[in-house]
Amino acid sequence: MSAQTRRRPGRPRIEEHDGRILHGALALIDAGKEVTVNAVVEASGVSRAALYRRWGRLTDLVAAALDHGRSSVIDIRLEGDLRQNIIDAYFRSPRDIFSAQYSDRRFRMRMHLVMADRELQRTYWRSHVTHRRVGIERALRHGVEQGVLRPDLDIDSSIDLINGVFYYQGFVRGVPLGDADALGRCRSAFETAWRGMLA
């Protein structure tokens, strides 16, 4: 038997279980119920053993469920006008920002849960947020290399600054991120930051 056809010890993994477990956890979150292993097992109809084969910790599962329906990475073109490319990627129409799969309500529930649980917050940062920052990080580094942005630019802080303005709208102002006025404020804040980032 070749290495490719040799199976790992234990029961074979059933791929459809992944979706059932994920949607079971998501149903609990959307209903405002506590997400426990027993509750997920009951909601998904999948065994505890199957759940733990996929997610070693409950916080990993919750983080994955909270991110379900969101695009993984904001893709930013490097060719042409970098500022305009970032604007095109970040400031889409309100209709494009939220979908049936990832609504404003789910965004607020995600923030509520991660703020209430420090371990979940750290897990979500490691497993999802850092991955989503890859596109803007690559774009800003490209800008520095091309001499468009200042050579001493703090990339990490700049990303926090750009992204943070969006969260401010939802947390402090209490408006949906799809709100046109909120997007306008985010755009103005970006333009201010961009002027400070230029070489």
Side-chain angles (χ1 to χ4, degrees), residues 15-63:
E15 295 301 329
E16 69 179 29
H17 282 4
D18 296 50
R20 290 172 63 183
I21 294 169
L22 196 63
H23 284 91
L26 198 50
L28 294 168
I29 292 169
D30 286 344
K33 297 180 179 179
E34 184 181 5
V35 182
T36 65
V37 171
N38 287 339
V40 173
V41 166
E42 183 177 348
S44 65
V46 173
S47 69
R48 292 173 67 95
L51 189 155
Y52 280 118
R53 273 198 296 273
R54 289 156 177 80
W55 286 279
R57 300 182 309 158
L58 187 62
T59 51
D60 295 329
L61 170 58
V62 174

Side-chain angles (χ1 to χ4, degrees), residues 104 107-108 164-177 182:
D104 179 66
F107 166 78
R108 292 178 182 279
V165 127
F166 287 90
Y167 285 93
Y168 188 91
Q169 304 305 310
F171 275 102
V172 182
R173 285 184 175 266
V175 296
L177 289 185

Side-chain angles (χ1 to χ4, degrees), residues 30 65 119 131:
D30 286 344
E119 182 185 357
H131 179 64

